[in-house]
Amino acid sequence: MAEANKEILICRCQEVTLAMVEEAIAEGAFSVDGVKKRTRAGMGLCQGKSCERLVAKIIAEKTGQDPADVLPATSRPPVRPVKMGTIEGEMNA
Amino acid sequence: MRKIETDIAIIGAGSAGLCAAIQAAAAGAGVVVFDENQLPGGQLFKQIHKFFGSREHQAGVRGFEIGQQLLEDVKKSGAKVMLDSVVYGLFAENSLGVIAEDKYHYEVKAKKIILAAGAKENYMAFPGSTLPGVMGAGAAQTMINVNRVLPGKRIVMLGSGNVGLIVSYQLLQAGAQVAAVVEAAPTIGGYGVHAGKIRRAGVPILTSHTIKEVYGKEEVEGVVLAQLDEKWQMIPGTEQDIQADTLCLAVGLNPMTELAWMAGCQFTHIPALGGHVPLHDHNMETTKPGIYVAGDITGVEEASSAMEEGKLAGIAAAAALGCLSQEEAAAKKQEVLRRLDMLRTGLFGEKRKAAKEQQMADMAGWQALTAEKGGVK
């Protein structure tokens, strides 16, 4: 792929480029969670709603896995941005 | 922390969720619907075009009018709708974590849960794809039809499925210029009737073309297109530069499944439905007893089938709670299934029908396997 394309932002929340995702895969990342842990792709405000499927596609292409086997990142609460103070404050109220 | 206890909690007040609520509440179940948006209705209030199909699917009626009718029916049904309420987690024993109006924290206990969270737009990455002015076609549709804001003056649309075609036409109606609709496949993706409308308005539809890059200093100033060969590779020398201030991406949708994953539902992978989708049976119940799904979360289709699936889930959940007799429920479900079957016909419908059948066959396979192992844990 052309050099200019390496700088394409895959995860815009955390500013993770295509080159960084490819590097993580070259280092051994085999899953969306693996790329996430190495690069922070999917850890921003939108929690991977834009990039997760792009990351999954790149992983399937680079590792030869069936797209069916490349699962989304582990889903944990909160699935939407919420203020910890709201949870905490109300819990203690 | 505030607490809510209810028979049925529904996540999503769009076409599927509202229809589920109406059916379940009419049967006598206590229902609370949660939606993160300020207004109910999901995508229906963006849909200013007339619906297709037969009269019983409200063909000829505009989407927002269907939405208004649903809101009236919900009001009459007695179901409660909580807006501006984010369901941030789904926990053991059908418990939900909800933050309402950014300040109130609720723990919701429900006997049955219906997930009707809908879908989100696919994104594409290419040089310039993060410039202001690049947006989802659905986002542009919200801007013009709900917020009455024109996203740009001169627009390029990527994708000629029904979303790309319909939103292009609505952008024209809203006063924007549409410079071109770009389609990577060799043929137009959506219905001929929608394509015809924008072709008659003079908008070119460039098949076998894609976006090479988007350029601009602070925001989108232009889009460079290139032609694709039979192997979907860009043909050098075919680049054309189109001046535009907005690029809309209409490159498909994918189901919003986080809560179903969190609940531990089993999934299958069906590209025609948008990727990984939760397994469900003919009652819309997932592999987690008491957790149902309806609408685009079960696989991306359209509003009419989402409404029917919602009704099915609402009837099934109410029947499981004893609000309907087995005979009453069976009669109601049969009627819904007949209409669903009618929706899944024709060139586009047959494909979806085959995909949905695969999904339910996968569910049956999972059930057989689990029974062998001694039942659901």
PDB file of all heavy atoms in Angstrom, chain B residues 109-145:
ATOM      1  N   LYS B 109     -34.932  -3.780  36.993  1.00  0.00           N
ATOM      2  CA  LYS B 109     -35.117  -5.236  37.037  1.00  0.00           C
ATOM      3  C   LYS B 109     -36.326  -5.568  36.183  1.00  0.00           C
ATOM      4  O   LYS B 109     -37.408  -5.005  36.402  1.00  0.00           O
ATOM      5  CB  LYS B 109     -35.388  -5.698  38.474  1.00  0.00           C
ATOM      6  CG  LYS B 109     -34.158  -5.634  39.354  1.00  0.00           C
ATOM      7  CD  LYS B 109     -33.498  -6.991  39.386  1.00  0.00           C
ATOM      8  CE  LYS B 109     -32.395  -7.024  40.444  1.00  0.00           C
ATOM      9  NZ  LYS B 109     -31.540  -8.208  40.226  1.00  0.00           N
ATOM     10  N   ALA B 110     -36.137  -6.451  35.215  1.00  0.00           N
ATOM     11  CA  ALA B 110     -37.247  -6.811  34.332  1.00  0.00           C
ATOM     12  C   ALA B 110     -37.360  -8.314  34.231  1.00  0.00           C
ATOM     13  O   ALA B 110     -36.366  -9.025  34.300  1.00  0.00           O
ATOM     14  CB  ALA B 110     -37.021  -6.203  32.952  1.00  0.00           C
ATOM     15  N   LYS B 111     -38.602  -8.790  34.086  1.00  0.00           N
ATOM     16  CA  LYS B 111     -38.778 -10.242  33.923  1.00  0.00           C
ATOM     17  C   LYS B 111     -38.334 -10.659  32.528  1.00  0.00           C
ATOM     18  O   LYS B 111     -37.794 -11.742  32.334  1.00  0.00           O
ATOM     19  CB  LYS B 111     -40.248 -10.606  34.151  1.00  0.00           C
ATOM     20  CG  LYS B 111     -40.672 -10.391  35.604  1.00  0.00           C
ATOM     21  CD  LYS B 111     -42.135 -10.762  35.815  1.00  0.00           C
ATOM     22  CE  LYS B 111     -42.551 -10.393  37.233  1.00  0.00           C
ATOM     23  NZ  LYS B 111     -43.833  -9.659  37.267  1.00  0.00           N
ATOM     24  N   LYS B 112     -38.597  -9.787  31.550  1.00  0.00           N
ATOM     25  CA  LYS B 112     -38.177 -10.051  30.168  1.00  0.00           C
ATOM     26  C   LYS B 112     -37.531  -8.787  29.616  1.00  0.00           C
ATOM     27  O   LYS B 112     -37.938  -7.672  29.974  1.00  0.00           O
ATOM     28  CB  LYS B 112     -39.380 -10.411  29.278  1.00  0.00           C
ATOM     29  CG  LYS B 112     -40.251 -11.533  29.799  1.00  0.00           C
ATOM     30  CD  LYS B 112     -39.607 -12.892  29.605  1.00  0.00           C
ATOM     31  CE  LYS B 112     -40.425 -13.984  30.275  1.00  0.00           C
ATOM     32  NZ  LYS B 112     -39.688 -15.254  30.343  1.00  0.00           N
ATOM     33  N   ILE B 113     -36.544  -8.990  28.735  1.00  0.00           N
ATOM     34  CA  ILE B 113     -35.874  -7.852  28.114  1.00  0.00           C
ATOM     35  C   ILE B 113     -35.960  -7.988  26.596  1.00  0.00           C
ATOM     36  O   ILE B 113     -35.748  -9.081  26.064  1.00  0.00           O
ATOM     37  CB  ILE B 113     -34.390  -7.786  28.562  1.00  0.00           C
ATOM     38  CG1 ILE B 113     -34.325  -7.374  30.038  1.00  0.00           C
ATOM     39  CG2 ILE B 113     -33.583  -6.815  27.696  1.00  0.00           C
ATOM     40  CD1 ILE B 113     -32.931  -7.378  30.615  1.00  0.00           C
ATOM     41  N   ILE B 114     -36.299  -6.901  25.929  1.00  0.00           N
ATOM     42  CA  ILE B 114     -36.298  -6.905  24.458  1.00  0.00           C
ATOM     43  C   ILE B 114     -35.257  -5.897  23.985  1.00  0.00           C
ATOM     44  O   ILE B 114     -35.356  -4.699  24.279  1.00  0.00           O
ATOM     45  CB  ILE B 114     -37.699  -6.564  23.887  1.00  0.00           C
ATOM     46  CG1 ILE B 114     -38.738  -7.587  24.374  1.00  0.00           C
ATOM     47  CG2 ILE B 114     -37.651  -6.537  22.358  1.00  0.00           C
ATOM     48  CD1 ILE B 114     -40.179  -7.272  23.977  1.00  0.00           C
ATOM     49  N   LEU B 115     -34.248  -6.388  23.297  1.00  0.00           N
ATOM     50  CA  LEU B 115     -33.202  -5.511  22.764  1.00  0.00           C
ATOM     51  C   LEU B 115     -33.605  -5.073  21.358  1.00  0.00           C
ATOM     52  O   LEU B 115     -33.727  -5.897  20.455  1.00  0.00           O
ATOM     53  CB  LEU B 115     -31.855  -6.253  22.709  1.00  0.00           C
ATOM     54  CG  LEU B 115     -31.294  -6.780  24.030  1.00  0.00           C
ATOM     55  CD1 LEU B 115     -30.044  -7.622  23.772  1.00  0.00           C
ATOM     56  CD2 LEU B 115     -30.956  -5.619  24.953  1.00  0.00           C
ATOM     57  N   ALA B 116     -33.817  -3.783  21.180  1.00  0.00           N
ATOM     58  CA  ALA B 116     -34.192  -3.239  19.867  1.00  0.00           C
ATOM     59  C   ALA B 116     -33.355  -1.995  19.616  1.00  0.00           C
ATOM     60  O   ALA B 116     -33.852  -0.907  19.366  1.00  0.00           O
ATOM     61  CB  ALA B 116     -35.686  -2.914  19.838  1.00  0.00           C
ATOM     62  N   ALA B 117     -32.026  -2.198  19.712  1.00  0.00           N
ATOM     63  CA  ALA B 117     -31.090  -1.065  19.699  1.00  0.00           C
ATOM     64  C   ALA B 117     -30.798  -0.547  18.295  1.00  0.00           C
ATOM     65  O   ALA B 117     -30.181   0.502  18.132  1.00  0.00           O
ATOM     66  CB  ALA B 117     -29.791  -1.469  20.390  1.00  0.00           C
ATOM     67  N   GLY B 118     -31.208  -1.305  17.251  1.00  0.00           N
ATOM     68  CA  GLY B 118     -31.007  -0.800  15.895  1.00  0.00           C
ATOM     69  C   GLY B 118     -29.627  -1.070  15.337  1.00  0.00           C
ATOM     70  O   GLY B 118     -28.968  -2.052  15.704  1.00  0.00           O
ATOM     71  N   ALA B 119     -29.197  -0.192  14.448  1.00  0.00           N
ATOM     72  CA  ALA B 119     -27.929  -0.389  13.747  1.00  0.00           C
ATOM     73  C   ALA B 119     -27.174   0.934  13.686  1.00  0.00           C
ATOM     74  O   ALA B 119     -27.726   1.988  13.987  1.00  0.00           O
ATOM     75  CB  ALA B 119     -28.190  -0.900  12.327  1.00  0.00           C
ATOM     76  N   LYS B 120     -25.901   0.843  13.315  1.00  0.00           N
ATOM     77  CA  LYS B 120     -25.107   2.054  13.111  1.00  0.00           C
ATOM     78  C   LYS B 120     -24.479   2.011  11.728  1.00  0.00           C
ATOM     79  O   LYS B 120     -24.390   0.947  11.120  1.00  0.00           O
ATOM     80  CB  LYS B 120     -24.044   2.179  14.201  1.00  0.00           C
ATOM     81  CG  LYS B 120     -23.117   0.983  14.317  1.00  0.00           C
ATOM     82  CD  LYS B 120     -22.239   1.110  15.566  1.00  0.00           C
ATOM     83  CE  LYS B 120     -21.165   0.039  15.629  1.00  0.00           C
ATOM     84  NZ  LYS B 120     -21.679  -1.311  15.873  1.00  0.00           N
ATOM     85  N   GLU B 121     -24.051   3.165  11.237  1.00  0.00           N
ATOM     86  CA  GLU B 121     -23.518   3.233   9.882  1.00  0.00           C
ATOM     87  C   GLU B 121     -22.089   2.706   9.800  1.00  0.00           C
ATOM     88  O   GLU B 121     -21.287   2.922  10.712  1.00  0.00           O
ATOM     89  CB  GLU B 121     -23.525   4.693   9.403  1.00  0.00           C
ATOM     90  CG  GLU B 121     -24.906   5.292   9.325  1.00  0.00           C
ATOM     91  CD  GLU B 121     -24.920   6.563   8.497  1.00  0.00           C
ATOM     92  OE1 GLU B 121     -25.058   6.474   7.254  1.00  0.00           O
ATOM     93  OE2 GLU B 121     -24.775   7.637   9.098  1.00  0.00           O
ATOM     94  N   ASN B 122     -21.788   2.047   8.698  1.00  0.00           N
ATOM     95  CA  ASN B 122     -20.402   1.647   8.437  1.00  0.00           C
ATOM     96  C   ASN B 122     -19.573   2.871   8.088  1.00  0.00           C
ATOM     97  O   ASN B 122     -20.066   3.836   7.508  1.00  0.00           O
ATOM     98  CB  ASN B 122     -20.347   0.661   7.268  1.00  0.00           C
ATOM     99  CG  ASN B 122     -20.891  -0.707   7.630  1.00  0.00           C
ATOM    100  OD1 ASN B 122     -20.988  -1.048   8.808  1.00  0.00           O
ATOM    101  ND2 ASN B 122     -21.255  -1.476   6.632  1.00  0.00           N
ATOM    102  N   TYR B 123     -18.299   2.774   8.435  1.00  0.00           N
ATOM    103  CA  TYR B 123     -17.372   3.861   8.181  1.00  0.00           C
ATOM    104  C   TYR B 123     -16.345   3.352   7.178  1.00  0.00           C
ATOM    105  O   TYR B 123     -16.145   2.144   7.051  1.00  0.00           O
ATOM    106  CB  TYR B 123     -16.732   4.243   9.528  1.00  0.00           C
ATOM    107  CG  TYR B 123     -15.551   5.164   9.496  1.00  0.00           C
ATOM    108  CD1 TYR B 123     -15.650   6.436   8.935  1.00  0.00           C
ATOM    109  CD2 TYR B 123     -14.329   4.775  10.050  1.00  0.00           C
ATOM    110  CE1 TYR B 123     -14.553   7.282   8.931  1.00  0.00           C
ATOM    111  CE2 TYR B 123     -13.241   5.626  10.047  1.00  0.00           C
ATOM    112  CZ  TYR B 123     -13.355   6.866   9.488  1.00  0.00           C
ATOM    113  OH  TYR B 123     -12.281   7.705   9.485  1.00  0.00           O
ATOM    114  N   MET B 124     -15.714   4.253   6.447  1.00  0.00           N
ATOM    115  CA  MET B 124     -14.650   3.857   5.521  1.00  0.00           C
ATOM    116  C   MET B 124     -13.458   4.756   5.753  1.00  0.00           C
ATOM    117  O   MET B 124     -13.628   5.927   6.078  1.00  0.00           O
ATOM    118  CB  MET B 124     -15.119   4.049   4.079  1.00  0.00           C
ATOM    119  CG  MET B 124     -15.488   2.748   3.391  1.00  0.00           C
ATOM    120  SD  MET B 124     -16.023   3.089   1.726  1.00  0.00           S
ATOM    121  CE  MET B 124     -14.493   2.952   0.831  1.00  0.00           C
ATOM    122  N   ALA B 125     -12.263   4.211   5.602  1.00  0.00           N
ATOM    123  CA  ALA B 125     -11.053   5.017   5.803  1.00  0.00           C
ATOM    124  C   ALA B 125     -10.291   5.125   4.488  1.00  0.00           C
ATOM    125  O   ALA B 125     -10.040   4.129   3.823  1.00  0.00           O
ATOM    126  CB  ALA B 125     -10.185   4.373   6.880  1.00  0.00           C
ATOM    127  N   PHE B 126      -9.970   6.360   4.112  1.00  0.00           N
ATOM    128  CA  PHE B 126      -9.160   6.621   2.912  1.00  0.00           C
ATOM    129  C   PHE B 126      -8.482   7.963   3.163  1.00  0.00           C
ATOM    130  O   PHE B 126      -8.844   8.669   4.127  1.00  0.00           O
ATOM    131  CB  PHE B 126     -10.031   6.654   1.648  1.00  0.00           C
ATOM    132  CG  PHE B 126     -11.347   7.351   1.845  1.00  0.00           C
ATOM    133  CD1 PHE B 126     -11.428   8.742   1.873  1.00  0.00           C
ATOM    134  CD2 PHE B 126     -12.515   6.626   2.049  1.00  0.00           C
ATOM    135  CE1 PHE B 126     -12.627   9.380   2.089  1.00  0.00           C
ATOM    136  CE2 PHE B 126     -13.727   7.259   2.259  1.00  0.00           C
ATOM    137  CZ  PHE B 126     -13.782   8.640   2.277  1.00  0.00           C
ATOM    138  N   PRO B 127      -7.493   8.345   2.342  1.00  0.00           N
ATOM    139  CA  PRO B 127      -6.839   9.636   2.616  1.00  0.00           C
ATOM    140  C   PRO B 127      -7.876  10.774   2.649  1.00  0.00           C
ATOM    141  O   PRO B 127      -8.657  10.925   1.722  1.00  0.00           O
ATOM    142  CB  PRO B 127      -5.864   9.785   1.437  1.00  0.00           C
ATOM    143  CG  PRO B 127      -5.593   8.376   0.992  1.00  0.00           C
ATOM    144  CD  PRO B 127      -6.885   7.635   1.209  1.00  0.00           C
ATOM    145  N   GLY B 128      -7.890  11.494   3.738  1.00  0.00           N
ATOM    146  CA  GLY B 128      -8.818  12.624   3.892  1.00  0.00           C
ATOM    147  C   GLY B 128     -10.135  12.254   4.539  1.00  0.00           C
ATOM    148  O   GLY B 128     -11.004  13.111   4.713  1.00  0.00           O
ATOM    149  N   SER B 129     -10.295  10.993   4.947  1.00  0.00           N
ATOM    150  CA  SER B 129     -11.615  10.570   5.444  1.00  0.00           C
ATOM    151  C   SER B 129     -11.996  11.178   6.784  1.00  0.00           C
ATOM    152  O   SER B 129     -13.147  11.085   7.189  1.00  0.00           O
ATOM    153  CB  SER B 129     -11.716   9.039   5.523  1.00  0.00           C
ATOM    154  OG  SER B 129     -10.692   8.508   6.328  1.00  0.00           O
ATOM    155  N   THR B 130     -11.031  11.816   7.469  1.00  0.00           N
ATOM    156  CA  THR B 130     -11.402  12.449   8.744  1.00  0.00           C
ATOM    157  C   THR B 130     -11.586  13.969   8.602  1.00  0.00           C
ATOM    158  O   THR B 130     -11.794  14.659   9.596  1.00  0.00           O
ATOM    159  CB  THR B 130     -10.346  12.173   9.834  1.00  0.00           C
ATOM    160  OG1 THR B 130      -9.065  12.505   9.327  1.00  0.00           O
ATOM    161  CG2 THR B 130     -10.353  10.709  10.247  1.00  0.00           C
ATOM    162  N   LEU B 131     -11.525  14.477   7.366  1.00  0.00           N
ATOM    163  CA  LEU B 131     -11.764  15.923   7.180  1.00  0.00           C
ATOM    164  C   LEU B 131     -13.219  16.265   7.514  1.00  0.00           C
ATOM    165  O   LEU B 131     -14.125  15.498   7.180  1.00  0.00           O
ATOM    166  CB  LEU B 131     -11.522  16.311   5.720  1.00  0.00           C
ATOM    167  CG  LEU B 131     -10.103  16.641   5.273  1.00  0.00           C
ATOM    168  CD1 LEU B 131     -10.090  16.837   3.752  1.00  0.00           C
ATOM    169  CD2 LEU B 131      -9.569  17.886   5.964  1.00  0.00           C
ATOM    170  N   PRO B 132     -13.431  17.411   8.155  1.00  0.00           N
ATOM    171  CA  PRO B 132     -14.827  17.846   8.360  1.00  0.00           C
ATOM    172  C   PRO B 132     -15.541  17.956   7.007  1.00  0.00           C
ATOM    173  O   PRO B 132     -14.990  18.514   6.058  1.00  0.00           O
ATOM    174  CB  PRO B 132     -14.674  19.219   9.020  1.00  0.00           C
ATOM    175  CG  PRO B 132     -13.333  19.175   9.674  1.00  0.00           C
ATOM    176  CD  PRO B 132     -12.471  18.333   8.776  1.00  0.00           C
ATOM    177  N   GLY B 133     -16.733  17.400   6.931  1.00  0.00           N
ATOM    178  CA  GLY B 133     -17.458  17.374   5.662  1.00  0.00           C
ATOM    179  C   GLY B 133     -17.657  15.957   5.177  1.00  0.00           C
ATOM    180  O   GLY B 133     -18.494  15.701   4.321  1.00  0.00           O
ATOM    181  N   VAL B 134     -16.872  15.013   5.746  1.00  0.00           N
ATOM    182  CA  VAL B 134     -17.115  13.596   5.447  1.00  0.00           C
ATOM    183  C   VAL B 134     -18.047  13.079   6.536  1.00  0.00           C
ATOM    184  O   VAL B 134     -17.751  13.233   7.726  1.00  0.00           O
ATOM    185  CB  VAL B 134     -15.807  12.775   5.451  1.00  0.00           C
ATOM    186  CG1 VAL B 134     -16.107  11.307   5.140  1.00  0.00           C
ATOM    187  CG2 VAL B 134     -14.810  13.354   4.453  1.00  0.00           C
ATOM    188  N   MET B 135     -19.168  12.520   6.137  1.00  0.00           N
ATOM    189  CA  MET B 135     -20.130  12.060   7.147  1.00  0.00           C
ATOM    190  C   MET B 135     -20.961  10.901   6.623  1.00  0.00           C
ATOM    191  O   MET B 135     -20.998  10.643   5.422  1.00  0.00           O
ATOM    192  CB  MET B 135     -21.059  13.213   7.543  1.00  0.00           C
ATOM    193  CG  MET B 135     -21.977  13.681   6.442  1.00  0.00           C
ATOM    194  SD  MET B 135     -23.048  15.031   6.973  1.00  0.00           S
ATOM    195  CE  MET B 135     -21.874  16.379   7.042  1.00  0.00           C
ATOM    196  N   GLY B 136     -21.607  10.205   7.520  1.00  0.00           N
ATOM    197  CA  GLY B 136     -22.527   9.137   7.134  1.00  0.00           C
ATOM    198  C   GLY B 136     -23.732   9.730   6.430  1.00  0.00           C
ATOM    199  O   GLY B 136     -24.151  10.853   6.735  1.00  0.00           O
ATOM    200  N   ALA B 137     -24.302   8.988   5.487  1.00  0.00           N
ATOM    201  CA  ALA B 137     -25.501   9.464   4.795  1.00  0.00           C
ATOM    202  C   ALA B 137     -26.658   9.607   5.788  1.00  0.00           C
ATOM    203  O   ALA B 137     -27.484  10.510   5.667  1.00  0.00           O
ATOM    204  CB  ALA B 137     -25.892   8.495   3.685  1.00  0.00           C
ATOM    205  N   GLY B 138     -26.681   8.734   6.779  1.00  0.00           N
ATOM    206  CA  GLY B 138     -27.730   8.814   7.799  1.00  0.00           C
ATOM    207  C   GLY B 138     -27.600  10.089   8.610  1.00  0.00           C
ATOM    208  O   GLY B 138     -28.611  10.704   8.989  1.00  0.00           O
ATOM    209  N   ALA B 139     -26.358  10.499   8.872  1.00  0.00           N
ATOM    210  CA  ALA B 139     -26.130  11.741   9.604  1.00  0.00           C
ATOM    211  C   ALA B 139     -26.641  12.926   8.792  1.00  0.00           C
ATOM    212  O   ALA B 139     -27.312  13.825   9.308  1.00  0.00           O
ATOM    213  CB  ALA B 139     -24.647  11.908   9.916  1.00  0.00           C
ATOM    214  N   ALA B 140     -26.346  12.907   7.491  1.00  0.00           N
ATOM    215  CA  ALA B 140     -26.819  13.990   6.620  1.00  0.00           C
ATOM    216  C   ALA B 140     -28.347  14.020   6.594  1.00  0.00           C
ATOM    217  O   ALA B 140     -28.964  15.090   6.621  1.00  0.00           O
ATOM    218  CB  ALA B 140     -26.267  13.801   5.208  1.00  0.00           C
ATOM    219  N   GLN B 141     -28.950  12.827   6.591  1.00  0.00           N
ATOM    220  CA  GLN B 141     -30.413  12.747   6.564  1.00  0.00           C
ATOM    221  C   GLN B 141     -31.017  13.314   7.857  1.00  0.00           C
ATOM    222  O   GLN B 141     -32.033  14.015   7.816  1.00  0.00           O
ATOM    223  CB  GLN B 141     -30.849  11.293   6.367  1.00  0.00           C
ATOM    224  CG  GLN B 141     -32.309  11.160   5.981  1.00  0.00           C
ATOM    225  CD  GLN B 141     -32.755   9.718   5.874  1.00  0.00           C
ATOM    226  OE1 GLN B 141     -32.222   8.832   6.542  1.00  0.00           O
ATOM    227  NE2 GLN B 141     -33.730   9.469   5.038  1.00  0.00           N
ATOM    228  N   THR B 142     -30.376  13.025   8.983  1.00  0.00           N
ATOM    229  CA  THR B 142     -30.839  13.600  10.246  1.00  0.00           C
ATOM    230  C   THR B 142     -30.747  15.118  10.194  1.00  0.00           C
ATOM    231  O   THR B 142     -31.661  15.828  10.618  1.00  0.00           O
ATOM    232  CB  THR B 142     -29.992  13.074  11.423  1.00  0.00           C
ATOM    233  OG1 THR B 142     -30.024  11.654  11.408  1.00  0.00           O
ATOM    234  CG2 THR B 142     -30.523  13.575  12.760  1.00  0.00           C
ATOM    235  N   MET B 143     -29.625  15.621   9.664  1.00  0.00           N
ATOM    236  CA  MET B 143     -29.439  17.076   9.609  1.00  0.00           C
ATOM    237  C   MET B 143     -30.538  17.749   8.791  1.00  0.00           C
ATOM    238  O   MET B 143     -31.139  18.727   9.233  1.00  0.00           O
ATOM    239  CB  MET B 143     -28.058  17.408   9.025  1.00  0.00           C
ATOM    240  CG  MET B 143     -26.919  17.110   9.998  1.00  0.00           C
ATOM    241  SD  MET B 143     -25.284  17.376   9.266  1.00  0.00           S
ATOM    242  CE  MET B 143     -25.179  19.160   9.308  1.00  0.00           C
ATOM    243  N   ILE B 144     -30.820  17.222   7.585  1.00  0.00           N
ATOM    244  CA  ILE B 144     -31.801  17.917   6.743  1.00  0.00           C
ATOM    245  C   ILE B 144     -33.245  17.682   7.195  1.00  0.00           C
ATOM    246  O   ILE B 144     -34.041  18.612   7.218  1.00  0.00           O
ATOM    247  CB  ILE B 144     -31.646  17.565   5.234  1.00  0.00           C
ATOM    248  CG1 ILE B 144     -31.600  16.054   4.990  1.00  0.00           C
ATOM    249  CG2 ILE B 144     -30.431  18.256   4.656  1.00  0.00           C
ATOM    250  CD1 ILE B 144     -31.561  15.663   3.522  1.00  0.00           C
ATOM    251  N   ASN B 145     -33.574  16.438   7.572  1.00  0.00           N
ATOM    252  CA  ASN B 145     -34.994  16.122   7.807  1.00  0.00           C
ATOM    253  C   ASN B 145     -35.446  16.317   9.248  1.00  0.00           C
ATOM    254  O   ASN B 145     -36.628  16.476   9.500  1.00  0.00           O
ATOM    255  CB  ASN B 145     -35.295  14.689   7.379  1.00  0.00           C
ATOM    256  CG  ASN B 145     -35.117  14.493   5.885  1.00  0.00           C
ATOM    257  OD1 ASN B 145     -34.947  15.459   5.154  1.00  0.00           O
ATOM    258  ND2 ASN B 145     -35.144  13.265   5.436  1.00  0.00           N
TER     259      ASN B 145
END
